[in-house]
């Protein structure tokens, strides 16, 4: 079964709609390595239309320009890209296709495809929120920037119940960025104050 991995740049106050003014000052070799590791996990990119438009508007040109980022741009061009959109799209970037059917069952089918090693969801907040709600995200990889963005769309929207996670790995970069990898977790047993009051610090 292929893993579905979400990778996001995020602020300390939970904003995942990045603003380059608070993102770029923290991008260093460590973050570049982390991003490369995330992309190397998968042979399918699952992206929303807005993210696709952003990627397709930038990376083909960077590949053609042959600069320092051309190798990564070629990697993005070569990988299979499945785009989530309610409207038909005309694709100009190679290896791009429209997701067939509704999101949750279509992603479940991709996960079950023996020919797919892994599925990466870069950005694409709406897609990630829907997949989290459907229980289809296997890993949530966050690069938490040491900044409170104070505006922009947040990753975790309002819902009826908490979403419990377990931390599988963490790393702190010299810039102050924290890389944290979460996996879904079972809801813990209900605990009240009577169960924890013995752990409350004693007064002086």
């Amino acid at each position: 079964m292929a893993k579905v991995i979400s990778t996001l740049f995020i602020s300390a106050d939970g904003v995942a709609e990045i603003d380059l003014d608070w993102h770029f000052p923290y991008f260093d070799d460590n973050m570049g390595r982390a991003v490369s590791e995330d992309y190397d996990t998968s042979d399918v990119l699952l992206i929303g239309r807005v993210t696709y438009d952003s990627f397709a508007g930038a990376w083909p040109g960077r590949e053609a320009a042959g600069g320092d980022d051309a190798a990564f741009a070629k990697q993005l061009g070569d990988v299979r890209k499945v785009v989530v959109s309610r409207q038909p799209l005309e694709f100009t970037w190679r290896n791009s296709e429209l997701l067939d059917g509704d999101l949750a069952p279509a992603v479940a089918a991709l996960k079950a495809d023996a020919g797919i090693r892994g599925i990466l969801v870069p950005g694409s907040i709406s897609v990630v929120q829907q997949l989290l709600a459907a229980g289809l995200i296997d890993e949530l990889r966050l690069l938490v920037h040491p900044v409170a963005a104070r505006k922009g769309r947040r990753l975790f929207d309002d819902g009826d119940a908490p979403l419990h996670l377990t931390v599988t790995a963490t790393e702190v970069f010299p810039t102050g960025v924290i890389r944290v990898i979460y996996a879904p977790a079972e809801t813990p047993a209900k605990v009240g104050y009577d169960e924890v009051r013995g752990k409350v610090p004693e007064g002086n």
Side-chain angles (χ1 to χ4, degrees), residues 69-197:
D69 53 3
F72 182 64
K74 182 180 184 303
Q75 179 182 352
L76 292 180
D78 290 343
V79 74
R80 179 184 176 190
K81 293 168 285 292
V82 180
V83 184
V84 181
S85 175
R86 293 187 178 90
Q87 299 176 347
L89 298 174
E90 291 187 9
F91 297 110
T92 57
W93 198 12
R94 67 184 185 276
N95 299 321
S96 300
E97 63 190 77
L98 191 66
L99 183 76
D100 185 18
D102 293 333
L103 180 63
V107 172
L110 288 173
K111 282 172 65 70
D113 188 332
I116 295 176
R117 177 171 55 93
I119 302 159
L120 185 70
V121 189
S124 307
I125 301 170
S126 293
V127 173
V128 174
Q129 289 174 340
Q130 293 176 70
L131 294 179
L132 283 169
L136 290 170
I137 294 287
D138 297 292
E139 287 187 3
L140 189 60
R141 299 188 173 196
L142 304 181
L143 288 160
V144 185
H145 295 50
V147 57
R150 304 182 68 193
K151 63 179 180 178
R153 191 171 181 188
R154 285 170 167 74
L155 171 59
F156 298 108
D157 54 359
D158 291 340
D160 296 329
L163 177 65
H164 294 278
L165 304 167
T166 184
V167 177
T168 63
T170 60
E171 184 179 4
V172 180
F173 300 157
T175 57
V177 169
I178 302 172
R179 185 190 191 194
V180 56
I181 301 178
Y182 292 105
E186 296 293 331
T187 301
K190 189 173 181 179
V191 175
Y193 180 71
D194 287 343
E195 286 80 18
V196 301
R197 62 183 177 180

